Amino acid sequence: MPYQFDALCARFFDCDVQRNVSMAQYTSFRTGGCARALVEPRSVEALQNALFVVHEYGIPYEVIGNGTNLLVSDAGIDAVVFRIGEAMGAIRQENGLFFAEAGASFAALAKRTVECGFMGLEWAAGIPGSVGGAIAMNAGAYGGEIKDILVRATLMDMDGSLFEFTNQQMQFGYRKSIAAEKNYIVLEADLALHVSSKEEVLAKMAELSAQRRLKQPLEYPSAGSTFKRPEGYFAGKLISDAGLKGFSVGGAQVSEKHAGFVINTGNATAADVIALTPCAIKYLKNTV
């Protein structure tokens, strides 16, 4: 197996390849054991080739973005992890549209659009994660969602075939899309925003960023807002009403600032998060 694995890694062209990498470096929770290999393709063609290779060798694999909303076992991942990162993170503007590759920082894209005087992504300031992850989960905050601005997305299936999906074909819903449902890899997004006063949109972004800093525990590693909002309710309020603010297991804690967040207070393990989170989920289900 070691020889086979070495041979496999040697066939990844135009990729950065690391062996036995701690996934705590690549997840927003800052937890998790090692991956057998972390591979960062620099192009669509490199990713297609890499998928072909792992299929040929029969090696298990996972595809991630910025590692937000991702909890890796303390035992690690006995697989190749493909990370769509900065090497596939170009952003450009053309004819009133913004084109962003999946590896681009979602917050950086939002900042870029605002600085260019466009409104429509000001709500995304400070949201962690990549563009690919934002598209796959139909990210949203403060009344805005990806579905409101996406024109077209380029996706890849796990066999390396490419597809273009319109907004309607993406089948967006609350924190979901066809990309997540069908396990497609997001490669690029075309976004349509509207021109606004640069001063106005910068002020709006600053206002929303201030609200986020005031209400959310941004000083701690987390996966962001941990729980989906039950219809007609707010998860954070329900959990707070249950008296679970500050409740902890090991280094994992229900945030005292916002009960919708599970945070790593400094030395949490994935097992701590797994043990803690069902306590809040059980209450949510019993309540709604």
Side-chain angles (χ1 to χ4, degrees):
M1 186 67 166
Y3 173 79
Q4 184 187 51
F5 201 75
D6 289 340
L8 174 141
C9 289
R11 290 184 57 186
F12 295 139
F13 74 82
D14 198 24
C15 296
D16 293 322
V17 182
Q18 302 178 66
R19 299 287 297 274
N20 299 317
V21 177
S22 169
M23 291 304 295
Q25 304 174 58
Y26 295 97
T27 63
S28 59
F29 257 129
R30 297 293 182 260
T31 61
C34 291
R36 192 99 182 266
L38 184 79
V39 179
E40 299 190 66
R42 301 191 191 98
S43 66
V44 171
E45 295 74 20
L47 178 58
Q48 287 174 312
N49 172 73
L51 289 172
F52 174 81
V53 171
V54 291
H55 288 155
E56 179 183 338
Y57 278 76
I59 298 292
Y61 65 93
E62 299 287 345
V63 182
I64 69 170
N66 201 45
T68 313
N69 294 349
L70 185 65
L71 187 64
V72 176
S73 165
D74 299 314
I77 306 175
D78 188 21
V80 174
V81 175
F82 295 115
R83 180 176 182 265
I84 311 302
E86 295 78 7
M88 295 178 65
I91 299 171
R92 73 183 193 279
Q93 180 187 0
E94 185 178 319
N95 298 326
L97 291 177
F98 281 86
F99 301 87
E101 290 184 329
S105 159
F106 191 44
L109 170 64
K111 184 178 180 182
R112 170 88 170 266
T113 63
V114 167
E115 289 177 343
C116 291
F118 285 82
M119 183 167 280
L121 260 182
E122 65 284 347
W123 52 266
I127 291 182
S130 62
V131 169
I135 302 303
M137 71 171 293
N138 185 26
Y142 299 111
E145 288 184 298
I146 281 292
K147 71 176 181 62
D148 300 328
I149 57 174
L150 184 125
V151 175
R152 183 181 299 104
T154 303
L155 308 180
M156 178 190 291
D157 67 17
M158 292 303 175
D159 292 324
S161 298
L162 301 179
F163 306 91
E164 284 196 351
F165 282 68
T166 64
N167 185 303
Q168 186 174 11
Q169 290 171 327
M170 286 297 294
Q171 298 178 24
F172 287 123
Y174 176 58
R175 303 298 174 261
K176 65 180 182 180
S177 73
I178 196 171
E181 181 183 341
K182 300 291 187 181
N183 206 27
Y184 290 146
I185 303 168
V186 178
L187 297 176
E188 186 178 73
D190 307 351
L191 307 172
L193 308 176
H194 56 274
V195 179
S196 181
S197 158
K198 183 176 180 179
E199 292 73 21
E200 178 186 356
V201 72
L202 280 172
K204 185 63 176 178
M205 175 176 271
E207 175 191 343
L208 295 179
S209 295
Q211 288 186 40
R212 184 171 281 115
R213 288 192 299 271
L214 179 66
K215 298 178 180 179
Q216 299 178 6
L218 304 182
E219 64 273 26
Y220 292 101
S222 75
S225 183
T226 308
F227 308 97
K228 285 187 175 181
R229 184 177 67 247
E231 187 173 351
Y233 300 87
F234 292 97
K237 183 179 187 307
L238 292 174
I239 295 168
S240 179
D241 290 347
L244 290 175
K245 266 191 175 182
F247 181 71
S248 63
V249 174
Q253 182 189 72
V254 175
S255 169
E256 295 179 336
K257 182 182 285 188
H258 190 315
F261 285 65
V262 171
I263 61 173
N264 178 353
T265 59
N267 61 348
T269 63
D272 292 339
V273 177
I274 292 169
L276 171 65
T277 304
C279 297
I281 292 177
K282 181 179 180 181
Y283 178 77
L284 288 174
K285 287 182 176 178
N286 289 343
T287 304
V288 302

